[in-house]
Amino acid sequence: MISYESVTKIYGKGNNTVTALDNVSFTIPKGEVVVFLGPSGCGKTTTLRLTNRLETLTRGVITIEDQNIMDIDVVQLRQRLGYVIQAIGLFPNKTIAENIAVVPRLLHWDEERISKRIDELLQMTNLDPDLYRDRYPAELSGGQQQRVGVARGLAADPNILLMDEPFGAIDPINREEIQDEFLKLQAKLKKTVAFVSHDIHEAIKMGDRIAIFDKGRLVQYDTPEIILTQPKNKFVSDFVGADRALKVLGLMRVSDIINRKPKNIIQGADRCQEALHFLNTKESRYGIVIEDNRPIGFVTQKSLKYEDGPVRDVVEPYPIFLREKTPLRDVLSSMLMYSTPTFCVVDGDKNFAGTVTYNDIQKAVKASYADETENVEIEVSS
Amino acid sequence: MSTLRFIMDNFNEVLYLSWEHVWIVGIALLIATPIGVVLGIVITRHEQFASRVLNGANILMTIPSLALFGLMLPFLAIFDMGLGKVPAVIALVLYSQLPIIRNTYTAIKNVPSSLVDAGRGMGMSKWKLLRELEIPLATPVIIAGLRTAAVMNIGVAAIATYIGAGGLGVYIQQGIARVYPEMILSGAILVSLLAIIVDGGMALLERVATPEGIRVQRKLSR
């Protein structure tokens, strides 16, 4: 846990002062990733650097695990907090193994323990120890260097990790990959992470909570869902972007809105005219056709009208099936692509699990914005 | 040809004078290096002294060597050391300061601040950072400074013969006094040869002292 109480940082003296951080208070709960988000100069990096005392507090109190950081010896404090910065932070004169070993050596671990830990960390970050241990940073790609950076931050198994735009210098494809890897790692390790970013996508993806900074003030501190659906003011809604409805959909999954008992289910063996009558009574324009508990496709009233055989003969197959964990953004994209307003959700054995319709998605988005205040304008930038 | 004959005929003396020359320059460098490197590092930590120290070293360089010998004479005479090798070595130590201090200062300053930050952020002490990061990265440039100082000092040491320091300058000085061209030429050629050899040797040292990771980096970025 890290807590910030009335943290203020003022640079300069006398009349020539700049307030970099103004009375910021919030708490990072144990085991959560909190992303410090904002434009450059907003105070997010300063907050991080105050935490390991690379900058000195002007006023306020920062505590880690209920200990005031000013009461801890500065070198010990830093050794307790894992620190990861952009790829350029690796020492070029040291091998990968030596880079990872920096903090364990400072802590006087014995060589055998260090060596074991290096292998463990390299495996954890998907780098083959035999291949990479004795290489130099210059021989690695940007993505690989950053993996080593993460491994180095985790070396002494700190409870708290400070990350300063750790994936900022990597190309987008590798960044996605390394973000996913880090999330997987974090799910296992449950570190308390302070993560600086200027990228809203990264913040939504990585953060359990997001702290949005502007001009040295903490503007909003909430979960990504709430930041997206209930931005506190114009600055936040602008920063989040006009496409925040789509971003919300990126956070929601099929399981959040699935209709497990749709009314318009037809068995494949039913006769077409019976099915037509059934759909009429249910006031539904189309039906989902199921055989052996597996969805085989759909029929419309129009396609049934002049047919007489079993429904399975006129059924139109679905182009794709959804899974419960599919993000709604992908579902919407598929709906637009195939111009199909309903999709079926299946489980691992391809058994029918429910349906998702375009209307369901719209309703879900509306619901998530329900408490939004009227006065927030969403500007559509050209 | 006659110059070569002169060298062959006086081979033992040539060897002795060369050795004496190398000895003066070598001792001077051995004394100058720790002083210069330490001063160079100290002024990176205390910026307010940096320009003063560098200016001081610069001024020392502008004093002609003969004038410097003359200036030191009355002071060293108190200890009965106004002439001979002692003033020569002192002068060389003073002249060496500018290239050594300047290169050390620049090299340490040029270590990327992101690396220093990363090290500090991980809890490395200033001393640890210096030893494990800053000095290794700065070493090639520091040695380049030593190389400049060494080559320059070989030239200055030839003049130190006028205060009785010995070395290859003896041939030049006596050759001029006796109007003996072969002798002058021998001295001049041997001094130049020495400078070239030392320069080559220092270049080699510079390469060897470059950390392997940096060599790899240079090779790959080429």
Side-chain angles (χ1 to χ4, degrees):
Chain A
M1 193 186 83
I2 312 174
S3 90
Y4 300 87
E5 286 165 52
S6 313
V7 169
T8 301
K9 172 70 186 175
I10 298 169
Y11 289 107
K13 277 178 194 157
N15 293 328
N16 247 333
T17 58
V18 180
T19 306
L21 215 55
D22 188 4
N23 216 10
V24 167
S25 301
F26 66 110
T27 299
I28 303 180
K30 188 170 187 288
E32 287 199 5
V33 179
V34 170
V35 179
F36 299 0
L37 184 67
S40 54
C42 67
K44 57 186 194 293
T45 305
T46 307
T47 309
L48 192 83
R49 290 170 64 90
L50 284 170
T51 316
N52 63 0
R53 287 173 65 185
L54 282 174
E55 308 276 354
T56 317
L57 268 172
T58 309
R59 273 196 299 277
V61 176
I62 301 177
T63 59
I64 61 165
E65 290 154 341
D66 296 321
Q67 242 184 315
N68 188 330
I69 58 164
M70 299 312 285
D71 296 339
I72 308 171
D73 172 68
V74 66
V75 166
Q76 276 174 13
L77 171 76
R78 289 171 184 164
Q79 289 168 3
R80 253 173 78 178
L81 306 169
Y83 189 47
V84 183
I85 64 171
Q86 294 196 6
I88 36 181
L90 291 184
F91 296 166
N93 56 321
K94 289 180 183 283
T95 62
I96 300 310
E98 288 166 346
N99 263 289
I100 296 175
V102 167
V103 179
R105 290 225 164 100
L106 291 174
L107 295 171
H108 304 295
W109 289 17
D110 61 68
E111 283 303 313
E112 199 182 325
R113 185 174 169 207
I114 293 176
S115 176
K116 259 174 73 186
R117 183 67 181 153
I118 290 166
D119 285 350
E120 194 179 292
L121 284 162
L122 285 175
Q123 264 152 10
M124 223 193 261
T125 46
N126 290 336
L127 292 167
D128 181 358
D130 295 334
L131 223 62
Y132 291 103
R133 268 187 83 106
D134 299 323
R135 297 255 177 113
Y136 285 98
E139 297 173 275
L140 271 59
S141 71
Q144 289 170 331
Q145 287 186 25
Q146 198 46 68
R147 286 190 177 87
V148 177
V150 172
R152 186 172 70 170
L154 290 169
D157 204 15
N159 294 328
I160 297 173
L161 212 51
L162 307 179
M163 305 178 86
D164 191 357
E165 306 217 13
F167 311 137
I170 312 172
D171 62 277
I173 294 169
N174 270 310
R175 191 187 309 154
E176 285 282 332
E177 203 180 300
I178 196 168
Q179 284 170 344
D180 291 339
E181 281 172 21
F182 181 76
L183 284 177
K184 256 186 235 161
L185 212 58
Q186 166 65 7
K188 258 186 281 172
L189 301 177
K190 299 249 183 283
K191 304 286 182 195
T192 305
V193 183
F195 188 116
V196 169
S197 175
H198 60 262
D199 178 4
I200 174 77
H201 292 280
E202 186 171 60
I204 293 170
K205 183 171 178 183
M206 307 302 286
D208 294 309
R209 284 159 208 266
I210 299 176
I212 297 193
F213 289 83
D214 180 34
K215 300 192 190 100
R217 285 168 190 274
L218 179 65
V219 185
Q220 188 168 5
Y221 180 50
D222 268 313
T223 61
E225 287 84 354
I226 295 180
I227 297 259
L228 286 172
T229 56
Q230 301 162 43
K232 223 171 207 167
N233 58 22
K234 190 166 174 320
F235 172 80
V236 177
S237 63
D238 281 354
F239 198 83
V240 166
D243 62 339
R244 59 204 167 92
L246 286 177
K247 287 179 182 131
V248 171
L249 289 180
L251 287 173
M252 296 172 81
R253 295 178 186 280
V254 165
S255 53
D256 295 333
I257 61 161
I258 185 170
N259 180 0
R260 295 194 189 274
K261 295 222 168 0
K263 54 185 182 176
N264 51 347
I265 293 214
I266 301 170
Q267 295 302 319
D270 292 354
R271 319 253 357 142
C272 282
Q273 290 308 312
E274 284 169 43
L276 188 61
H277 179 71
F278 173 74
L279 290 180
N280 265 326
T281 59
K282 296 285 178 191
E283 294 181 330
S284 188
R285 279 191 295 119
Y286 60 93
I288 294 146
V289 184
I290 287 183
E291 252 191 336
D292 298 335
N293 205 27
R294 288 184 179 179
I296 58 169
F298 63 95
V299 289
T300 60
Q301 289 210 10
K302 217 163 135 194
S303 67
L304 293 171
K305 209 166 186 177
Y306 304 109
E307 299 292 336
D308 202 25
V311 172
R312 72 167 78 90
D313 292 349
V314 295
V315 84
E316 231 183 286
Y318 282 110
I320 55 160
F321 291 108
L322 307 176
R323 294 306 195 82
E324 298 225 8
K325 60 178 183 4
T326 312
L328 289 187
R329 197 177 47 188
D330 297 3
V331 178
L332 186 67
S333 165
S334 304
M335 283 176 176
L336 295 172
M337 230 154 73
Y338 298 110
S339 48
T340 310
T342 308
F343 277 118
C344 280
V345 186
V346 295
D347 65 14
D349 297 325
K350 294 196 173 152
N351 286 324
F352 180 79
T355 60
V356 171
T357 67
Y358 176 76
N359 282 340
D360 295 337
I361 293 180
Q362 205 173 23
K363 257 184 248 161
V365 173
K366 262 194 186 151
S368 66
Y369 283 94
D371 351 299
E372 190 177 328
T373 44
E374 296 271 312
N375 53 20
V376 176
E377 290 171 44
I378 300 172
E379 275 178 25
V380 181
S381 50
S382 49
Chain B
M1 219 57 245
S2 48
T3 308
L4 196 63
R5 161 88 31 89
F6 177 87
I7 293 174
M8 298 307 269
D9 289 349
N10 301 282
F11 197 67
N12 277 338
E13 198 188 25
V14 164
L15 274 186
Y16 176 76
L17 289 177
S18 300
W19 161 243
E20 208 173 25
H21 206 106
V22 169
W23 191 86
I24 297 169
V25 173
I27 289 287
L29 214 56
L30 277 181
I31 299 170
T33 305
I35 301 174
V37 170
V38 168
L39 266 175
I41 292 171
V42 166
I43 58 175
T44 60
R45 310 289 127 140
H46 303 279
E47 276 296 318
Q48 66 270 34
F49 301 123
S51 61
R52 261 177 271 175
V53 169
L54 287 171
N55 279 338
N58 232 329
I59 290 167
L60 276 177
M61 279 282 266
T62 60
I63 305 173
S65 44
L66 273 176
L68 188 60
F69 295 138
L71 282 171
M72 287 191 302
L73 195 76
F75 298 104
L76 291 172
I78 300 169
F79 309 102
D80 204 15
M81 286 190 273
L83 295 174
K85 291 196 172 56
V86 175
V89 169
I90 293 177
L92 296 189
V93 168
L94 292 178
Y95 282 134
S96 306
Q97 291 310 304
L98 182 67
I100 299 178
I101 296 176
R102 191 188 47 205
N103 278 37
T104 305
Y105 175 73
T106 318
I108 300 267
K109 276 279 178 198
N110 276 346
V111 173
S113 61
S114 59
L115 294 182
V116 178
D117 246 25
R120 284 179 62 209
M122 286 189 293
M124 291 172 90
S125 62
K126 280 182 182 168
W127 171 240
K128 267 252 151 67
L129 258 177
L130 200 62
R131 221 182 51 192
E132 292 191 23
L133 180 73
E134 293 173 302
I135 290 182
L137 292 189
T139 301
V141 181
I142 295 176
I143 292 181
L146 296 182
R147 182 175 163 190
T148 311
V151 171
M152 186 183 69
N153 281 352
I154 287 172
V156 178
I159 300 168
T161 180
Y162 283 97
I163 52 166
L168 289 165
V170 169
Y171 280 159
I172 300 171
Q173 182 218 1
Q174 289 190 6
I176 292 169
R178 293 198 229 159
V179 199
Y180 188 171
E182 284 80 7
M183 201 177 189
I184 303 173
L185 221 53
S186 302
I189 289 171
L190 287 168
V191 168
S192 312
L193 212 60
L194 196 61
I196 291 168
I197 292 168
V198 168
D199 187 56
M202 295 296 271
L204 202 69
L205 187 65
E206 208 177 307
R207 208 167 314 149
V208 174
T210 306
E212 201 188 335
I214 303 294
R215 265 182 277 164
V216 168
Q217 193 175 28
R218 282 193 197 143
K219 210 167 89 193
L220 289 173
S221 62
R222 222 177 270 150

